[in-house]
Amino acid sequence: MKPASQPEPSGTSGQFTTTHWSVVVAAGRRDSPDATAALENLCRTYWYPLYAYVRRRGYEAPDAEDLTQELFARLLEKDFPAGITPDGGRFRSYLLTALNHFLVNEWKSRQAGKRGGGKRLLSWDELGAEDRYRLEPSEQMTPEKLFERRWASALLDQVRQRLQTEYAAQGKTQLYERLRPCLTGAEHLLPYAELAALLGLSESGVKMAVQRLRRRYGEMLRLEIAQTVSGPEEIEEELRGLIAAAAG
Amino acid sequence: MGTQFMPALRLCSECGAELSVAEQEGLCTRCLLALGLEGLPEIRPQSGIKSEVGERFGDYVLLEEIAHGGMGVIYKARQISLDRIVAVKMIRAEWLAREEDIKRFQIEAQAAAQLQHPNIVAIHEVGELDGHPFFSMDYVPGISLAQMARERPLGTRQAARYVQRIAEAILYAHQHGILHRDLKPSNVLIDLNDDPRVTDFGLAKLLKADTELTLSGVVMGTPSYMSPEQAQGKANAVTVRSDVYSLGAILYHLLCARPPFQADTTLETLRQVVGMEPVLPRALNPRAPRDLETIILKCLQKEPAKRYASAQELAEELGRFLSDRPILARPIGPTARLWRWCRRNPVVSSLAAATLVLLCAVAIISTISAVRIASGQRVLRENLYASDMSVAWHSLVEGDARRARELLERHRPKQGQATDLRGFEWRYLWRLSQPDELFTITNRVLVPAARYAPDGRTLAIASYDGLVILRDAFTKKELKSFRAHPRNCWSVTFSPNGRVLATTSRDDHEVKLWDVETAKLLVAFPPLSQEAVCVAFSPDGKRLATVGYSPYTKGIPAEVKIWDAASYQNLGQLAGHRSFVCRAQFSPDGSLLATGDGEGTVRLWNIATQKESQSFTGHRGFVGAVRFSPDGKILATADQHGTIILWDCAARSALRTLSAHQSPIYDLAISPDGKWLASASLDHTAKLWDLETGEELATFRGHFGRVWTVDFSPDGKTLVTASMDGTVRFWSAAPKRESELFAGDWAAIGFSPARSDQLWDLTNRIRILPAHAAKVNALALSPDGQTLASGSDDTTVRLWDMATGQPADNPVLPGNAGAVTALAFSTDGKTLAAGSFDGPIKLWCVSARQEVGSLKGHLSRIQELAFSPDGRKLASSSYDGTVRLWTAPSFAEIDGESKSRNSSSASD
């Protein structure tokens, strides 16, 4: 017999198995183009928290760009900084540990000689990293705190994009755009009656759609986190950790 | 910095938290993440599961689904080869699709399978079939502890015995290197021999999400039994002491019929677990022995190091309790509890004494009722009542009057309910929870601004859905409303003659002028390049200034433009700002315009030349509000740190700096007579100040969201505030002193005699005693209920006649020197003892008002005093860390005599 399977979220199916970070980084599945793409995607999602961290540590923008780029390039090449081999724990912790190690042990010496031309993942001109960093609050926030918070932002941004894509794939872009403000409450939202008229739904239909959106968001969020932690049991733990970081 | 201000487009509508620029879409990171957590309790589709009942699964025939949750499902099953009934748990494939996960699951299940203990549900087989991992375990007929304690508290010995056995089982597991990490009543089954059996063992880590299953099959996932370190996601900090915490939480639940912490949402519960003290078990169940309470509280310590070091220590301690031997843990005195609570809540610590008093009152009430009420249902209601009263009080102290009202509302008798549990404490709290305001208008969306018309008869309200609503300022009736902007309307400003209303929108950047009479659009100015947040009219009505706001990028100068109010021609833009600006105001003579910027500089601009004429520096953060006094002599400005500075415009210097609020101030208003200043803040309050002396006159509480604007009625008698809580509130613009209200009232409440007739009698005669010149620290009631003693920071001990509520004859006891911290009457009521901050303990003969003893020995503040029942001993505890016992065999002889003596015949 087969236990019942939860309906797979479209657009994200199977991510937990084949695109989990430790799988694609360490588990020898790198030969698969899918896995490489998945790693690149992870890097694209989470580069900014690292960049902000390095900047907050006091490095100049060009150094921060190089450092972030270099770290990701080496992950792709399985050239892990000084034996910091991925252990299947949290991607977030791993990246930070690897980066710190990198900063302490290898960066200076590598700066002296010229770096080899690893694969360039990120196009800094397009990313506008420094523009974004300039918007960071100038108040006291430790590099670690900033990293955690931006990690949370990057994660949510990714979830939002996926959700948007999913709704678009179902031809529900308008619905998504209208309901998006309700994700954390109804204050920015048009009244249900107005929404119902705009969307051609009943009021209870709008309510249901709102519920569905919120639920889906939660599901996608957990799926997204699942890719960066070692197992499903850690999803909640990671969520709590990020919430604590966002609150503190 | 600037992003902290004006966050209507930059704040979370769920929790009101400030959003940083990086936070997407105006949604709060924390609340978005919480969607992931709160998503957990969703009911998952069940299709396909039930149909498997009756099917064969390897060596098993599935008989009946016992429970299912997010990740797993448990069946009652028959194991064919051994012909026995077992329980089979399967993990849903989608959660374990990775090979490592499956392997790990199996390893952990096998580890748990090694645990052979009479109080642990044994695992028989761990396996995998068709790619689906499963394990089989003992089938335990019976019910779980959760079901058992759902209706009412268990007997104390029964509860202690269960938890002792569970602790022994947990100890055994710890010795095998396995932490349970998910201990809770629903994970303990009571078998047919009335023995507890711990289940889900060693799988807790993996199966964490697969939490409490109720009969309806809904996954609760409550973190009510989780240690603070787990609640905070500190995986590395989870140790055996975390399981000890959960054991204490289980014992709490068994004795109180509810977990130590529970709230409507997961997040709120987590917040409580991390930051709040549990309600004392004995407040919920007066029959709970003090020793068990002590044991529970030791388990529930926030800091792991303060808990029992192991499950063994806990099991032994419970063993001592069960065999009537003294336990080792020392009770945490109410004073110490309070002290710790104060340290965690410094803001409200000044009210902490009152809190303690209330807790006493609640305990008294529930004692009485426990005697009176027999039925289990009523006991439950009673416990809930006591608990809710306590929480309501805490809510009030924290400024959340709405929550307090909700809690109080629950206890209004419903139709058909014969008993009314409400006593004086309910009525008292109800009165305190009533908002200060005179009237509230509830809008359906948040209200960025509310302003009086110059004639005071009309009120204009900016609504966040883009509407402007005009209301009669007296009847509050809506006169008209019109759509001013497509999405949001941020500000409303009347022209000096009241005929024109200016509106702005941060959404479309537009500034519009409207005819108030007809609600017709007069003009829409060309949209600003920045968010339109403010309009200021010159006093003669000929000019107006518009303010564009863009704090999101540093260094973009504010867009402040001057316009001709008749021709609508642009007269220029003020150049020279180096940062964003939130508000502007013309001086009363119309010659100057004041602006405050993001870097804390206040500038005055000459309108004729459009040049900066002077600037004031002194604020340390962005300036959110500027306001001239009616005579133009004083300029009041306020910043993001809640600081108000009053500037002397002529002398160009600061007159006074007020630390007004803890949070940014958005708006200031000055009464038409120039006497009073009002401030509106992000801290949900508005305050009233004496403009001349800087004295705080009143705090207006009642909003449960940020207060955006505050405005005086033209007659100066009323204040109106607009808030993100979606309300507009009216307040009496008069000084009020609330601190006095507190001290007196609580005295009467907390220390009324513990006899029910008198207790209820007090309902209608709560008095405010004009007690002391300084804070009252201690109260004691004579055993006959006739005399109340109060001790204060003013170093006096006073006596009060309870019958009249007036000072007793010769009310002040002589000879005391230090600030009084503790008081106690002897059991015969003849002697009163007083402890102080640093002096000796004083003893008086009450009837003669004569000092009869001075006990020296403590090195520090006295915490508590207590006479032994026979009146021959006095115990004192002190912050010097000692408890001293004083014997005074001659107390009985001290009766009306006027000899003083030292009776310090005591030692530790």
Side-chain angles (χ1 to χ4, degrees), chain B residues 56 227 512 587 606 670 733:
Chain B
R56 177 125 182 218
S227 63
K512 293 176 180 174
S587 62
N606 183 318
I670 293 179

Side-chain angles (χ1 to χ4, degrees), chain A residues 126-140:
Chain A
E126 289 167 24
L127 292 171
E130 198 49 22
D131 288 344
R132 215 170 136 185
Y133 183 73
R134 243 183 276 124
L135 293 181
E136 292 295 350
S138 55
E139 77 232 28
Q140 287 300 319

Side-chain angles (χ1 to χ4, degrees), chain A residues 15-35:
Chain A
Q15 298 227 353
F16 198 74
T17 49
T18 57
T19 63
H20 186 266
W21 81 272
S22 66
V23 178
V24 296
V25 173
R29 306 267 291 269
R30 295 279 315 292
D31 43 341
S32 132
D34 282 355

Side-chain angles (χ1 to χ4, degrees), chain A residues 1-4 6 17 135 156-157 160 180 184-185 188 191 215 222 230 232-233 236-237 239-240 247, chain B residues 14 24-25 27 33 36 40 44 47 52 94-95 97-98 104 130 132 205-206 208 231 235 270 444 552:
Chain A
M1 63 150 257
K2 290 188 195 308
Q6 188 194 355
T17 49
L135 293 181
L156 294 178
D157 204 45
R160 187 180 55 79
R180 200 171 36 135
T184 60
H188 297 267
R215 190 168 58 227
R222 293 197 297 280
S230 67
E233 75 283 0
E236 244 191 285
E237 212 166 87
L239 267 170
R240 291 219 178 86
Chain B
E14 187 111 326
Q24 48 166 315
E25 309 289 320
L27 304 175
L33 287 166
L40 286 176
R44 291 179 181 277
S47 58
E52 285 148 10
E94 62 270 24
W95 284 96
R98 288 197 301 148
R104 198 161 140 190
D130 299 337
H132 302 296
K205 188 181 177 215
L206 201 67
K208 206 172 194 176
L270 287 172
R444 58 180 185 166
Y552 310 116

